[in-house]
Amino acid sequence: MNWPLLVFLLSFVMVFVVRIPIALGMMMSAIFYFDLAGGPGADISMVAAQFLNQMNSKFVLIAVPLFVFMAEVMNTGKITDMIFEFAGAVVGKKKGALGHVNVVASIIFSGMTGSALADASGLGMMEIKAMNDSGYDKGFSSAITAASATIGPIFPPSIPMIFYAMLSGASIGALFIGGMLPGILVGIALMIYIAMVAHKRDYPLGGAVTFRQMLAITLKASPALFSVVVLLGGIYTGIVTPTEAGALAAFYAIFVAVFIYKAMGLRDFLKVVRNTVRTTGTLSLLVGSAYAFSYIVAIEHIPDLVANWLLHITSNKYLLLLLINVVFIILGMFIDTMAITLVFIPIVLPLVTSLGINLVHFGVLITLNMMIGLSTPPFGMLLFVVSGISGTPLKDVIREILPMLLVLFIVLFLVTYIQPIVLFLPGLLGLL
Amino acid sequence: MKKGFKFLLDVIEVYTPMAAFIVLFTVFMLGIFFRYFLAPLTWTLELSLVCFIWTALLGGLYAKRTDSHVKFTLIYDMVSPKKQLWMRLFGNGLLLTAFGMAFYPSLNYVLFMGFKKSNVLKIPMDVAFAPYVVFMAFMIGRLIHDLYKDLNLLFRERIPK
């Protein structure tokens, strides 16, 4: 191993040891590397060059602030309230109804934003409060909110899938639609688990809804629900690109929040923009730094080394998928999803391609894997979010989420080994 | 003086990226409207990308101010406040060294890019990429500030037990 590479790797390890922000840490490691490497095409300005030129040429990245903005508008503009009410009416009189409502609302909401954290922090607060007030265990309410929020980035649209598409060259449209069945599968699996727990713990029944009430609630919620049509309809009819659909849906959400639900004034709008800027700064800095970082990873042939090492263990495609899943789940327990996507996925992608694994299939399964990581103790970010917004001790949330994780792992196993769960719909639409 | 400095910080770290995002969104919507209903505009994409770079980099400064950047805290959270202080000093010291080393090469690179202009609007690329230099400068300032605060804590022995 050469000296610059050693410093590069050691300094990157220090990022995790002394709690340096990961985006800044990747830039730091790249700067040290280029300073020591020297030679033509390898001076410190390469960090700026990689960061700026890649950001300036990747049109698809504009989708990120647009989707973040859309999620912020929906969380501020009463749209989440409407979805929650509508989901309640759909579920109706069932034992443990609010648990089911939690999952149904997450599926609908994920069709709008593509962000698990937006789901947990927006809808989550409402869901947990309603469940706690109705007598559900606090840990259970928080845990099911975290588990159901994982559907967000699996069901289209999805911010992590945009990053994956950018790294792998896979079609965003195919990835989005490929995530649909796995997203629904996660929802069904969680609802089966909720039904079992609700029966055992005698959780309360939901309110019965008459046809007339259902109609009234649907009418009231329809402007909010129509944003799913704007977004997904736009993408799959091919009328607009996914990035344009993000902008249109955000515009539509502002219109609904301001003029129909009258829930957003200028002050709220500025707050939404401020939050959007902060989140965009966090995500985009990670992306920009990852370009410089990945450039070094590529010129030092690290993916080849990892591929050779993994192939040395086994060359069986199915065992390798299992191995990659296990490694990513362990990474997901400790490291943020975006950091995993941008640092570790480029390392395994050449291996995935050489094994002939479909890139859309891998993209969806690895996104599901990473989303499960967001709810996996000890450091899944969703656990902290739901514990924070509900005031429930973290240990209670962790105790309740463990069986739900088992359910999610079963779905991950199915998605990994039954390829048509992911590829059936994209194939049907001719996107493969 | 202090108020003026605070206002300047707000302008760079909050108001400018907010304005850049609003321009990005508006121009992008305009591009869609013209593409589907009138004649396609070629400049909207260019301006959107420039605004995206401005939003991302200056928004990154705002994220630093609000301590929103993603970090791995497992080890840090397990140690005593005194060790945490040393970790912060070491981490910020490393970052300051790296960013200090990279400042002039980055500035030179951005200035060098001034020879190139965008295809349609002819925006000089040093203008488009200028926030990178601002980002580096302000980040160095923030790192010095953080180091000063922690050194102050260390020398005055005000470390919480």
Side-chain angles (χ1 to χ4, degrees), chain B residues 129-146:
Chain B
F129 292 168
Y132 190 83
V133 180
V134 177
F135 170 81
M136 296 294 278
F138 273 65
M139 197 52 86
I140 288 172
R142 285 223 170 260
L143 289 167
I144 292 173
H145 177 253
D146 290 351

Side-chain angles (χ1 to χ4, degrees), chain B residues 104-151:
Chain B
Y104 277 110
S106 307
L107 176 67
N108 285 335
Y109 174 76
V110 169
L111 291 175
F112 164 74
M113 289 305 286
F115 84 92
K116 204 174 153 191
K117 291 186 171 58
S118 67
N119 293 333
V120 186
L121 289 174
K122 305 291 175 206
I123 302 170
M125 292 322 280
D126 55 350
V127 173
F129 292 168
Y132 190 83
V133 180
V134 177
F135 170 81
M136 296 294 278
F138 273 65
M139 197 52 86
I140 288 172
R142 285 223 170 260
L143 289 167
I144 292 173
H145 177 253
D146 290 351
L147 276 169
Y148 173 77
K149 256 182 18 193
D150 282 337
L151 284 171

Side-chain angles (χ1 to χ4, degrees), chain A residues 22 53 59 239 244 336 379, chain B residues 35-36 45 70 72 74 109:
Chain A
I22 293 172
N53 289 316
F59 172 62
I239 297 172
E244 288 175 338
D336 177 73
F379 287 96
Chain B
R35 187 149 84 88
Y36 290 103
L45 179 61
V70 178
F72 178 78
L74 175 62
Y109 174 76

